Amino acid sequence: MDCIRVLGMAFSARHGVHSWEKSAPQRFEVDVELERDLSTAAVSDRLEDTVNYGSIVAVVRSVMEGEPVNLLEHLAGSIAGRVGELATGSRVTVRVRKPGAPLEVPFRTVEIELVREAQE
Protein backbone atom coordinates (compact mmCIF):
# COMPACT_ATOMS: atom_id res chain seq x y z
CA MET A 1 0.00 0.00 0.00
CA ASP A 2 1.14 3.55 -0.72
CA CYS A 3 1.57 6.05 2.08
CA ILE A 4 1.36 9.79 2.73
CA ARG A 5 3.27 10.84 5.85
CA VAL A 6 3.42 14.15 7.69
CA LEU A 7 6.01 13.63 10.41
CA GLY A 8 7.26 15.66 13.34
CA MET A 9 4.61 18.39 13.46
CA ALA A 10 5.35 20.43 16.59
CA PHE A 11 2.83 22.32 18.70
CA SER A 12 2.77 24.30 21.90
CA ALA A 13 -0.46 23.31 23.61
CA ARG A 14 -2.18 22.90 26.99
CA HIS A 15 -3.19 19.26 27.31
CA GLY A 16 -2.83 16.98 30.33
CA VAL A 17 -4.51 15.56 33.39
CA HIS A 18 -3.06 18.09 35.87
CA SER A 19 -4.47 21.61 36.10
CA TRP A 20 -0.99 23.14 35.75
CA GLU A 21 -0.62 21.32 32.40
CA LYS A 22 -3.64 23.18 31.12
CA SER A 23 -2.33 26.56 32.29
CA ALA A 24 1.19 26.45 30.84
CA PRO A 25 1.88 25.49 27.22
CA GLN A 26 3.95 22.35 26.64
CA ARG A 27 5.57 20.84 23.56
CA PHE A 28 3.73 18.13 21.64
CA GLU A 29 4.72 16.33 18.47
CA VAL A 30 2.39 14.61 16.00
CA ASP A 31 2.90 12.20 13.09
CA VAL A 32 0.13 11.23 10.67
CA GLU A 33 0.34 8.43 8.12
CA LEU A 34 -2.30 7.57 5.53
CA GLU A 35 -2.06 4.24 3.77
CA ARG A 36 -4.04 4.33 0.55
CA ASP A 37 -3.77 3.70 -3.16
CA LEU A 38 -1.96 6.65 -4.74
CA SER A 39 -1.65 5.17 -8.23
CA THR A 40 -4.17 7.56 -9.81
CA ALA A 41 -2.37 10.64 -8.47
CA ALA A 42 0.99 9.17 -9.51
CA VAL A 43 -0.24 9.16 -13.12
CA SER A 44 -2.58 12.18 -13.23
CA ASP A 45 -0.45 14.72 -11.33
CA ARG A 46 -3.71 16.20 -10.00
CA LEU A 47 -4.21 17.28 -6.38
CA GLU A 48 -7.83 16.15 -6.59
CA ASP A 49 -6.63 12.54 -6.92
CA THR A 50 -4.83 12.46 -3.57
CA VAL A 51 -5.15 13.82 -0.04
CA ASN A 52 -3.74 17.33 0.32
CA TYR A 53 -1.18 17.20 3.12
CA GLY A 54 -1.93 20.86 3.85
CA SER A 55 -5.43 19.74 4.82
CA ILE A 56 -3.93 17.11 7.13
CA VAL A 57 -1.83 19.77 8.85
CA ALA A 58 -4.86 22.04 9.23
CA VAL A 59 -6.83 19.26 10.93
CA VAL A 60 -3.99 18.40 13.30
CA ARG A 61 -3.44 22.07 14.16
CA SER A 62 -7.13 22.63 14.94
CA VAL A 63 -7.17 19.66 17.34
CA MET A 64 -3.83 20.42 19.00
CA GLU A 65 -4.51 24.14 19.39
CA GLY A 66 -8.14 23.59 20.36
CA GLU A 67 -9.79 23.02 23.71
CA PRO A 68 -7.48 21.34 26.26
CA VAL A 69 -8.07 17.64 26.92
CA ASN A 70 -6.72 15.21 29.48
CA LEU A 71 -5.32 12.32 27.46
CA LEU A 72 -2.96 11.86 24.54
CA GLU A 73 -5.24 8.99 23.50
CA HIS A 74 -8.10 11.46 23.10
CA LEU A 75 -5.97 13.81 21.00
CA ALA A 76 -4.84 10.95 18.75
CA GLY A 77 -8.41 9.67 18.41
CA SER A 78 -9.75 13.09 17.49
CA ILE A 79 -7.02 13.58 14.90
CA ALA A 80 -7.53 10.09 13.43
CA GLY A 81 -11.28 10.62 13.13
CA ARG A 82 -11.01 14.00 11.46
CA VAL A 83 -8.20 12.97 9.12
CA GLY A 84 -10.26 9.89 8.26
CA GLU A 85 -13.04 12.20 7.08
CA LEU A 86 -10.57 13.71 4.57
CA ALA A 87 -9.28 10.34 3.47
CA THR A 88 -12.08 7.78 3.36
CA GLY A 89 -10.90 4.31 2.50
CA SER A 90 -7.48 4.93 4.06
CA ARG A 91 -5.73 3.40 7.02
CA VAL A 92 -4.83 6.28 9.35
CA THR A 93 -1.98 6.07 11.87
CA VAL A 94 -1.55 8.90 14.37
CA ARG A 95 1.29 9.26 16.85
CA VAL A 96 1.16 11.95 19.55
CA ARG A 97 4.28 12.57 21.64
CA LYS A 98 4.73 14.58 24.81
CA PRO A 99 8.47 14.97 25.51
CA GLY A 100 7.85 16.92 28.73
CA ALA A 101 5.34 14.56 30.32
CA PRO A 102 5.39 14.75 34.14
CA LEU A 103 7.41 11.63 34.95
CA GLU A 104 9.89 11.16 37.78
CA VAL A 105 12.58 9.39 35.75
CA PRO A 106 14.70 10.52 32.81
CA PHE A 107 13.04 9.69 29.47
CA ARG A 108 13.08 10.85 25.88
CA THR A 109 9.35 11.05 25.16
CA VAL A 110 5.93 9.52 25.80
CA GLU A 111 4.10 8.41 22.66
CA ILE A 112 0.59 7.17 21.89
CA GLU A 113 -0.09 5.48 18.56
CA LEU A 114 -3.56 4.81 17.19
CA VAL A 115 -4.39 3.03 13.95
CA ARG A 116 -7.85 3.39 12.43
CA GLU A 117 -9.55 2.42 9.20
CA ALA A 118 -11.25 5.48 7.67
CA GLN A 119 -14.68 4.30 6.52
CA GLU A 120 -16.15 5.27 3.18
Side-chain angles (χ1 to χ4, degrees):
M1 185 59 70
D2 305 319
C3 193
I4 297 172
R5 293 184 182 96
V6 182
L7 305 174
M9 290 176 273
F11 300 92
S12 180
R14 301 170 188 263
H15 305 291
V17 173
H18 305 289
S19 60
W20 59 265
E21 292 179 286
K22 290 183 174 71
S23 64
Q26 303 166 76
R27 181 177 171 84
F28 292 84
E29 299 168 354
V30 179
D31 300 336
V32 174
E33 298 181 11
L34 297 177
E35 293 180 43
R36 64 182 291 126
D37 181 2
L38 298 173
S39 59
T40 300
V43 173
S44 73
D45 195 30
R46 292 169 28 108
L47 185 59
E48 299 81 22
D49 293 330
T50 190
V51 177
N52 183 338
Y53 49 79
S55 298
I56 296 169
V57 170
V59 164
V60 175
R61 173 176 274 154
S62 70
V63 172
M64 294 305 298
E65 294 178 353
E67 198 65 33
V69 302
N70 292 330
L71 301 178
L72 298 178
E73 293 86 343
H74 185 80
L75 289 170
S78 295
I79 292 167
R82 293 195 43 203
V83 168
E85 293 172 4
L86 294 174
T88 58
S90 299
R91 183 176 183 193
V92 180
T93 301
V94 176
R95 288 179 209 91
V96 178
R97 288 181 295 282
K98 187 175 182 179
L103 299 176
E104 296 180 6
V105 298
F107 69 100
R108 187 169 44 119
T109 195
V110 171
E111 178 179 83
I112 299 300
E113 178 180 280
L114 294 183
V115 180
R116 300 291 183 264
E117 299 293 330
Q119 303 303 314
E120 302 221 22

